[in-house]
Amino acid sequence: MTARVGVVTFPGTLDDRDTQRAVRIADLEAVPLWHRDKDLKQVDAVVLPGGFSYGDYLRAGAISRFSPVMESVIEQAKGGMPVLGICNGFQVLTETHLLPGAMLRNNHLHFICRDQKLRVENADTAWTADYEAGQEISVPLKNIDGRYVADERVLDELEAEGRVAFRYLDGNPNGSLRDIAGITNAAGNVVGLMPHPEHAVEPGIGTGRTDGLGFFTSILKKLVNAS
Amino acid sequence: MARVVVDVMLKPEILDPQGQAVQRALPRLGFEGIADVRQGKRFELEVEGPVDEAALARIHEMAETFLANTVIEDFTVRVDS
Amino acid sequence: MARVVVDVMLKPEILDPQGQAVQRALPRLGFEGIADVRQGKRFELEVEGPVDEAALARIHEMAETFLANTVIEDFTVRVDS
Amino acid sequence: MSLDTVKHADETPDVEQPWAELGLKQDEYERIRTILGRRPTGAELAMYSVMWSEHCSYKSSKVHLRQFGEKAPENDALLVGIGENAGVVDVGQGYAVTFKVESHNHPSYIEPYQGAATGVGGIVRDILAMGARPVAVMDPLRFGAADHPDTKRVLPGVVAGIGGYGNCLGLPNIGGEVVFDSCYQGNPLVNALCVGVMKHEDIHLAKASGAGNKVILYGARTGGDGIGGVSVLASETFDAAGDSASGTGKPTKRPAVQVGDPFQEKLLIECTLEIFREDLVDGIQDLGGAGLSCATSELASAGSGGMRVELDRVPLRDATLSPEEILMSESQERMCAIVEPGKVDRFLEICEKWDVIATVIGEVTDGERLEIFWHGEQIVDVPPRTVAHEGPVYERPYARPEWQDALQADDANKLARPGTAEELRAQVLKVISSPNQASKSWITDQYDRFVQGNTVLSQPEDSGMVRIDEDTNLGVAVATDGNGRYAKLDPYTGAQLALAESYRNVAATGARPLAISNCLNFGSPEDPAVMWQFAEATRGLADGCLALGTPVTGGNVSLYNQTGETAIHPTPVVAVLGVIDDVDRRTPMAFADEGHLLYLLGDTKEELGGSAWSQVIHDHLGGLPPAVDLDREKLLAEILIAASRDGMIDAAHDLSDGGLIQALVESCLRGGKGARIVVPDALDPFVLLFSESAGRAVVAVPRSEELRFTDMCGARGLPATRIGVVDGEELDIQGEFTIPLTELRAAHEATIPSLLV
Ligand SMILES: Nc1ncnc2c1ncn2[C@@H]1O[C@H](COP(=O)(O)OP(=O)(O)O)[C@@H](O)[C@H]1O
Ligand SMILES: [Mg+2]
């Protein structure tokens, strides 16, 4: 039996089909979830993919956060279900306050698309167990609202608890405080990051690297071991 | 130091996708009775020296040539009290 | 129909690169004497029915939960006169 | 003003009508009266005027464009040719690909962000209307001088608009062009290309047939934006932009600028694709220039029977719009579908699912007229063909300009050349850091090139390439090219050079060129010299396509790109589409492996006319452009494709503007490896580095493949000269100079950012 990973589509989601592909490449079953449905179809984990849900109008993630599917995701996440937010998904997670902080316009004000080097700081989350702490990976980064901010108290807390999951290396691409590229909740089941692991899972496609596959193999192991 | 506020809004006849998206979301969030939403920009300028007519005229010009794109936007300038 | 304006600005301690970019450009355009610029959002809401205290309270709630993200932004609500 | 009904028009033949303000000529207005047997109503006048504008009717260009059909090469791959929203090409395995390049030049000058954004939106809807899922975009751009203050306004806005719209739609931007030249100062060229993929059976056409079928308008509400946009912005000079006439002669000032909503377009794409999957439409048309006037008249004209439309049913954003304005509005993100009555409910359901507004606005009739009603009263009653397909056609006079001879006599090969190795080195650095030759990554990094997870190659590679089937690895490659300087020196050759370069770029990545699309950007057709350039360029392109066996599938013409008497350089932009059976076999441009041997393919002659070197070092434009040899181009392409398929080469880069040195610098920087170059005895180092002879490429060959590769070239008769090896951390032109990669990178990459901050 393999595990079922739900991939949510909001209006304006872009990377849902790519994320489903990445899930399948890791030998998991990809289950499309629709924003209007509260029903999570008994999935074992959920990915909120990248894109511009609701055009990123108002603020990135601000409108999607109120969708029916998110009511269920929030509830289940609080109960321990693994949830990964990539880019726009990360923005949704901060808007729901499942993860602290907020995402703002990049400090240089431009959209930026590049191959981004990261350090995996926390390899104990549901989505990073297949990496080593301190491992350096490269995955595509592409966004305009990628500047992570939170107040000093929250940042210190994140650092103290080891909840900074990923940090930018070789130059901060957007002004994120403390070079934060992604964070986790205290339980390690909810993880959000701006770069796109689902676009680094096949050789020859995109940057040609497969450094992002570990997110999906991590969750596979976790779910299969649990069952 | 005095503060001057420049509000920049899309002209009424120009499509405002952002305002529309907000308006359409409101009923779902349980807020009824908002017939229209327009979203624009607000600039707060901290002005050195006195905000006299000359200063306001300059800010008006700045708004017209730079802060707003008058092809699609209107603007207002006012001293914040 | 009455208009209510909600202004949303980044909290003062949060870096505002858009405002900074505007401010940096001003001297080049020949506008001196602006010490600081902050850029925020302005929402114009057309409200059906009377804008009484209850209505304003609802709009306040809407601003707090939706129009602004209070982790990073402050807001004000006022009836447009 | 009261409603100008058909009946009223019949009764009041002598009413003065604002045909001149709407851009119609006296004889055109008379022709409308003859067609209708009465004066047109205000609504009819509005429709004819936009549909007979240069932009929609191609009245000046049509007689020349015909050659693309007349000289079309035999080609089984062409499934849908010129005349539809976009051409469709068979790429095998049951897949069809549609692609088209279109201009949004004038709007992008007035409002760079929105002009460019809606340019992307428009071309994407054209592709969608063919039944295809859009899979990639490209953006050939041209701006005024890089250091001109207005370029600082236009360029960042255009780039942000293309990125803002395309990124939000989820379409990878896989290539394009950025060219600076003062000739584009008041007339930047913003061309946009979209590629879409479908199965053969999913091809849809823009026609309304089957009496009783419903006409459904879906997408955004109709507003007052862009009214007169077509005729004022795209066809005439636009001094009066912003207060174009509104069709009724009312004093209202409607903005001619359209604002795009990429989020709405994304919903429109997904909704439309779901509608296609369930086979719910008979005919479909996007709304672009001329809005509903265009969509209704084209659908009715292309189909059988007539059409009846209740215009008052159109959902409006602004309730005060008059029927004329509704017909002319260019509000974005709208589509029009013809749907059988039994499928309407399901159609509307899918629209509701995607939050897309959809309204039945009329039906197909068994008559022959396009009839439009406003609250029950008839305001339009026309034969649709006369609006959409039988507009005026002009045989504009053309003549080779007097200055052409002097321009060609001003030979660039006679310009002063560097006297020493030191000077040559300095000129190399100057050329590769000049705005046209410098790295464009400051721009292209603002575009998402990874979305959809199928991008195999993207800028700065020779062509963009996307995988279209995950199981078989089938892929398509597209490149766009154009060189206004060459075309100015000789428009016939210039157009062929654009074609040859684009063709070569596709082949360099290992894909087999199949078909072309083009965007012809020129000055005023009323100037005989411009018209001559246009005639020559189309003739060159048509002849070239015939020689290469790649048919023209469609394209776009943008005229009136001029300021006062001064036209832009004639700028035909050519897009070539190619297919590759296995994307794993693609050839990238990067020199990535030390020890690989560098071969220069083709002949290098002394050809500096129109070259980057002549522009950067001497600010010179004169002489003749490089000669074209299309048989040679074909041979080169065959070699590049075979070498990729059989794994004989590891990298390839086509040679074009900037010559060999430009290609070497780009391939070295891309791979992070240096190269040692030995100048062949027969060649002068300066000519080797800077000549822009066509039909050339540089390739990196693993030593183990050298014999096989050179044997192949020898057997086929393609000159292949070993010029060096991938090696070290510097570019070493032996006996001349060396430049460390770090210095090259700094020179190549610093220019564009420094110009735009
Ligand atoms: N330069 C050109 N080469 C070939 N076909 C062209 C060219 N310009 C326009 N066409 C064709 O003429 C038809 C009408 O073009 P256009 O009005 O731009 O279409 P649309 O309104 O769908 O964008 C299309 O089929 C287009 O491909
Ligand atoms: Mg079309």
Side-chain angles (χ1 to χ4, degrees):
Chain A
M1 187 215 91
T2 183
R4 289 160 58 81
V5 176
V7 178
V8 177
T9 300
F10 300 104
T13 293
L14 305 179
D15 300 325
D16 44 351
R17 294 186 307 144
D18 315 18
T19 303
Q20 290 168 22
R21 184 195 292 124
V23 164
R24 285 196 306 271
I25 287 174
D27 277 333
L28 290 141
E29 186 184 344
V31 181
L33 299 176
W34 181 240
H35 69 110
R36 283 191 193 168
D37 295 338
K38 278 180 93 161
D39 179 9
L40 296 188
K41 301 190 183 158
Q42 292 164 332
V43 295
D44 305 299
V46 167
V47 184
L48 306 176
F52 286 78
S53 60
Y54 291 97
D56 274 3
Y57 298 147
L58 185 58
R59 289 180 310 279
I63 300 181
S64 338
R65 160 217 162 163
F66 290 100
S67 58
V69 76
M70 283 309 296
E71 283 179 41
S72 308
V73 170
I74 292 170
E75 193 188 303
Q76 298 277 322
K78 286 182 175 158
M81 184 179 72
V83 176
L84 173 66
I86 302 170
C87 195
N88 198 231
F90 184 20
Q91 292 157 340
V92 173
L93 290 175
T94 59
E95 285 282 338
T96 60
H97 307 302
L98 280 172
L99 293 175
M103 224 61 72
L104 283 169
R105 185 59 39 112
N106 294 339
N107 58 353
H108 46 77
L109 302 177
H110 298 297
F111 188 95
I112 181 166
C113 174
R114 73 180 200 196
D115 196 9
Q116 177 67 48
K117 199 186 255 190
L118 304 176
R119 187 166 53 230
V120 181
E121 300 279 16
N122 180 336
D124 295 327
T125 77
W127 300 91
T128 55
D130 252 8
Y131 297 101
E132 310 268 313
Q135 186 176 340
E136 294 181 4
I137 61 174
S138 274
V139 292
L141 175 80
K142 50 198 194 77
N143 61 59
I144 191 165
D145 291 313
R147 176 167 53 111
Y148 181 77
V149 298
D151 62 35
E152 287 295 311
R153 191 184 50 77
V154 170
L155 292 171
D156 289 342
E157 202 175 288
L158 287 174
E159 301 271 14
E161 296 174 8
R163 289 169 53 198
V164 173
F166 311 93
R167 241 185 270 269
Y168 295 116
L169 294 181
D170 292 354
N172 184 326
N174 50 27
S176 288
L177 295 178
R178 306 203 189 172
D179 297 336
I180 290 174
I183 56 176
T184 173
N185 67 349
N189 64 313
V190 180
V191 171
L193 80 167
M194 287 314 292
H196 288 259
E198 84 285 13
H199 284 138
V201 294
E202 291 180 280
I205 297 292
T207 62
R209 293 177 208 274
T210 56
D211 297 14
L213 198 55
F215 283 79
F216 304 96
T217 53
S218 297
I219 197 69
L220 173 72
K221 282 187 193 152
K222 166 151 184 98
L223 295 176
V224 170
N225 288 344
S227 65
Chain B
M1 203 138 27
R3 169 177 299 173
V4 175
V5 174
V6 180
D7 287 320
V8 177
M9 300 296 293
L10 285 169
K11 294 186 180 186
E13 63 274 21
I14 296 265
L15 174 70
D16 173 14
Q18 311 215 51
Q20 275 192 1
V22 170
Q23 196 211 340
R24 274 198 254 164
L26 291 177
R28 268 189 285 125
L29 308 184
F31 298 108
E32 303 287 343
I34 305 294
D36 191 25
V37 179
R38 307 277 296 170
Q39 178 176 339
K41 296 178 201 156
R42 173 186 165 94
F43 297 91
E44 295 181 356
L45 315 177
E46 303 298 330
V47 184
E48 288 163 358
V51 182
D52 48 19
E53 278 207 14
L56 278 177
R58 270 188 325 127
I59 292 174
H60 198 277
E61 194 198 328
M62 180 195 306
E64 179 146 23
T65 53
F66 182 55
L67 298 179
N69 175 353
T70 53
V71 175
I72 51 174
E73 294 169 326
D74 293 327
F75 65 91
T76 59
V77 175
R78 68 197 150 73
V79 183
D80 203 26
S81 40
Chain C
M1 203 136 29
R3 171 175 297 172
V4 175
V5 174
V6 179
D7 287 322
V8 176
M9 300 297 292
L10 283 172
K11 294 189 176 184
E13 65 271 21
I14 303 254
L15 175 69
D16 171 17
Q18 284 175 305
Q20 284 190 348
V22 170
Q23 197 210 339
R24 271 198 309 263
L26 291 177
R28 265 189 283 130
L29 303 174
F31 299 108
E32 303 288 341
I34 306 293
D36 191 25
V37 179
R38 307 277 295 170
Q39 178 175 338
K41 297 176 198 159
R42 172 186 166 95
F43 298 91
E44 295 182 355
L45 315 177
E46 302 298 329
V47 184
E48 288 163 356
V51 183
D52 48 19
E53 277 206 13
L56 278 177
R58 270 189 322 127
I59 292 173
H60 198 276
E61 193 198 329
M62 181 195 304
E64 179 147 22
T65 54
F66 183 54
L67 297 179
N69 176 349
T70 52
V71 173
I72 44 172
E73 294 167 327
D74 294 327
F75 66 90
T76 59
V77 175
R78 69 199 151 74
V79 184
D80 203 25
S81 40
Chain D
M1 185 174 141
S2 68
L3 191 66
D4 191 13
T5 61
V6 171
K7 179 156 170 286
H8 183 244
D10 226 359
E11 292 161 357
T12 55
D14 299 326
V15 168
E16 285 279 320
Q17 294 194 283
W19 49 268
E21 289 91 316
L22 291 169
L24 288 167
K25 301 283 184 289
Q26 169 97 47
D27 59 323
E28 293 172 344
Y29 177 66
E30 294 305 332
R31 214 177 118 203
I32 296 168
R33 295 190 69 128
T34 312
I35 289 169
L36 298 178
R38 56 171 164 79
R39 76 160 174 90
T41 64
E44 289 166 340
L45 188 64
M47 291 183 78
Y48 278 105
S49 71
V50 282
M51 291 302 291
W52 286 12
S53 68
E54 186 65 60
H55 180 72
C56 293
S57 72
Y58 291 83
K59 56 189 167 191
S60 305
S61 55
K62 225 175 201 162
V63 295
H64 300 283
L65 296 180
R66 280 187 192 133
Q67 299 169 83
F68 296 151
E70 290 157 7
K71 296 183 188 168
E74 281 296 316
N75 190 309
D76 298 340
L78 192 62
L79 300 174
V80 175
I82 296 179
E84 283 292 331
N85 285 312
V88 183
V89 183
D90 178 10
V91 294
Q93 300 179 12
Y95 284 101
V97 168
T98 175
F99 73 125
K100 185 174 170 194
V101 55
E102 206 168 61
S103 66
H104 229 213
N105 301 341
H106 297 319
S108 302
Y109 178 66
I110 295 177
E111 212 313 280
Y113 185 100
Q114 295 297 344
T118 53
V120 174
I123 190 65
V124 168
R125 284 193 301 281
D126 268 330
I127 293 309
L128 180 63
M130 295 308 299
R133 175 179 277 282
V135 297
V137 294
M138 297 175 107
D139 58 328
L141 306 176
R142 280 157 184 79
F143 301 102
D147 55 0
H148 192 287
D150 200 44
T151 303
K152 281 201 175 72
R153 170 187 75 94
V154 176
L155 186 146
V158 164
V159 169
I162 289 170
Y165 206 96
N167 295 340
C168 187
L169 279 189
L171 291 176
N173 185 311
I174 58 170
E177 299 168 81
V178 182
V179 176
F180 300 93
D181 192 300
S182 52
C183 78
Y184 304 114
Q185 203 64 64
N187 298 275
L189 304 185
V190 175
N191 295 176
L193 175 147
C194 182
V195 197
V197 176
M198 66 198 123
K199 288 289 195 172
H200 286 193
E201 60 272 20
D202 293 333
I203 296 175
H204 281 77
L205 300 179
K207 61 175 177 51
S209 296
N213 284 348
K214 301 299 178 192
V215 180
I216 301 183
L217 177 67
Y218 67 110
R221 290 172 183 275
T222 299
D225 41 351
I227 289 175
V230 159
S231 49
V232 176
L233 283 176
S235 292
E236 305 290 339
T237 47
F238 41 89
D239 311 329
D243 55 15
S244 54
S246 72
T248 52
K250 283 199 302 193
T252 48
K253 285 199 172 187
R254 300 289 189 192
V257 172
Q258 311 131 33
V259 170
D261 180 355
F263 169 58
Q264 174 76 52
E265 180 120 324
K266 168 69 178 167
L267 298 183
L268 203 55
I269 293 174
E270 296 303 332
C271 171
T272 303
L273 290 173
E274 193 162 332
I275 285 164
F276 288 152
R277 270 201 298 280
E278 296 195 17
D279 197 19
L280 298 178
V281 300
D282 248 40
I284 186 159
Q285 170 71 309
D286 58 295
L287 273 73
L292 266 173
S293 293
C294 179
T296 54
S297 64
E298 288 195 350
L299 281 165
S301 172
S304 57
M307 185 184 287
R308 181 189 163 102
V309 172
E310 315 287 340
L311 198 61
D312 46 281
R313 292 200 195 154
V314 171
L316 299 181
R317 213 168 70 224
D318 170 357
T320 68
L321 290 183
S322 71
E324 293 86 348
E325 289 173 317
I326 296 169
L327 281 170
M328 292 173 92
S329 164
E330 293 187 358
S331 287
Q332 300 291 296
E333 293 96 21
R334 296 179 299 164
M335 304 279 284
C336 193
I338 307 297
V339 182
E340 288 170 22
K343 295 181 175 175
V344 168
D345 285 348
R346 182 62 190 142
F347 186 104
L348 298 179
E349 233 171 71
I350 294 176
C351 289
E352 196 283 329
K353 170 182 169 188
W354 288 99
D355 295 320
V356 168
I357 299 171
T359 315
V360 176
I361 60 164
E363 65 180 41
V364 179
T365 63
D366 51 16
E368 281 168 2
R369 314 282 289 188
L370 170 60
E371 299 174 85
I372 299 181
F373 293 81
W374 181 251
H375 295 290
E377 297 202 71
Q378 185 162 22
I379 54 170
V380 171
D381 179 13
V382 297
R385 283 202 71 78
T386 63
V387 180
H389 292 113
E390 288 165 3
V393 175
Y394 291 155
E395 299 257 4
R396 301 240 190 230
Y398 57 89
R400 188 171 200 267
E402 284 148 28
W403 44 260
Q404 197 77 33
D405 285 338
L407 183 68
Q408 293 186 345
D410 183 12
D411 189 355
N413 290 340
K414 299 201 179 113
L415 295 169
R417 300 181 182 183
T420 63
E422 230 358 68
E423 232 184 297
L424 182 60
R425 184 185 195 273
Q427 292 195 353
V428 163
L429 283 169
K430 194 159 177 203
V431 169
I432 63 139
S433 62
S434 67
N436 283 338
Q437 308 308 121
S439 163
K440 304 300 185 310
S441 60
W442 184 88
I443 290 167
T444 56
D445 282 356
Q446 298 183 45
Y447 304 147
D448 185 345
R449 56 185 177 276
F450 298 119
V451 65
Q452 295 198 4
N454 285 313
T455 305
V456 180
L457 294 174
S458 57
Q459 63 267 355
E461 297 285 342
D462 281 336
S463 65
M465 187 183 288
V466 291
R467 174 178 66 181
I468 64 173
D469 187 299
E470 281 173 41
D471 298 323
T472 67
N473 260 347
L474 181 67
V476 295
V478 187
T480 75
D481 286 292
N483 187 322
R485 284 167 54 83
Y486 290 167
K488 174 93 182 229
L489 297 179
D490 179 349
Y492 181 91
T493 307
Q496 293 199 338
L497 282 165
L499 169 66
E501 183 181 347
S502 190
Y503 181 91
R504 201 185 312 131
N505 273 319
V506 165
T509 58
R512 184 161 43 86
L514 274 185
I516 82 146
S517 178
N518 67 102
C519 190
L520 304 173
N521 305 277
F522 286 76
S524 167
E526 293 161 38
D527 176 349
V530 169
M531 219 41 228
W532 174 81
Q533 293 172 329
F534 187 83
E536 283 294 288
T538 45
R539 192 169 66 84
L541 191 54
D543 290 348
C545 288
L546 183 58
L548 291 176
T550 47
V552 176
T553 64
N556 177 251
V557 176
S558 171
L559 300 175
Y560 296 100
N561 293 290
Q562 72 178 53
T563 309
E565 295 293 290
T566 317
I568 59 164
H569 291 341
T571 312
V573 169
V574 179
V576 171
L577 172 89
V579 64
I580 182 165
D581 294 332
D582 178 358
V583 295
D584 280 348
R585 291 276 171 208
R586 89 245 173 272
T587 312
M589 65 186 269
F591 295 163
D593 295 290
E594 301 224 359
H596 285 189
L597 301 168
L598 296 177
Y599 271 85
L600 173 61
L601 310 182
D603 286 310
T604 303
K605 291 170 235 140
E606 217 167 290
E607 296 188 296
L608 295 159
S611 65
W613 173 82
S614 69
Q615 182 178 33
V616 176
I617 304 297
H618 294 284
D619 191 16
H620 177 271
L621 177 59
L624 290 174
V628 189
D629 177 348
L630 294 172
D631 287 333
R632 171 54 67 77
E633 295 289 353
K634 259 174 122 163
L635 176 60
L636 175 66
E638 282 165 17
I639 295 280
L640 288 167
I641 294 162
S644 132
R645 189 189 51 224
D646 296 340
M648 286 183 250
I649 57 176
D650 227 53
H653 196 4
D654 109 289
L655 266 55
S656 54
D657 54 327
L660 175 67
I661 187 65
Q662 182 73 25
L664 290 174
V665 168
E666 289 173 354
S667 288
C668 285
L669 292 179
R670 184 90 168 139
K673 295 279 188 306
R676 217 163 350 107
I677 303 297
V678 182
V679 180
D681 289 342
L683 279 172
D684 168 64
F686 163 80
V687 173
L688 174 72
L689 295 183
F690 283 122
S691 164
E692 298 189 2
S693 292
R696 297 184 303 157
V698 61
V699 294
V701 184
R703 283 180 196 272
S704 58
E705 301 298 326
E706 184 180 19
L707 202 56
R708 200 153 69 106
F709 181 73
T710 51
D711 277 355
M712 174 173 69
C713 293
R716 306 288 303 268
L718 180 71
T721 315
R722 183 159 150 181
I723 56 164
V725 60
V726 179
D727 183 45
E729 310 259 295
E730 53 192 25
L731 181 58
D732 177 5
I733 312 292
Q734 294 207 321
E736 299 294 326
F737 59 83
T738 64
I739 309 177
L741 285 193
T742 47
E743 189 179 350
L744 279 179
R745 191 178 299 282
H748 192 53
E749 292 178 359
T751 307
I752 301 292
S754 74
L755 283 167
L756 293 168
V757 287

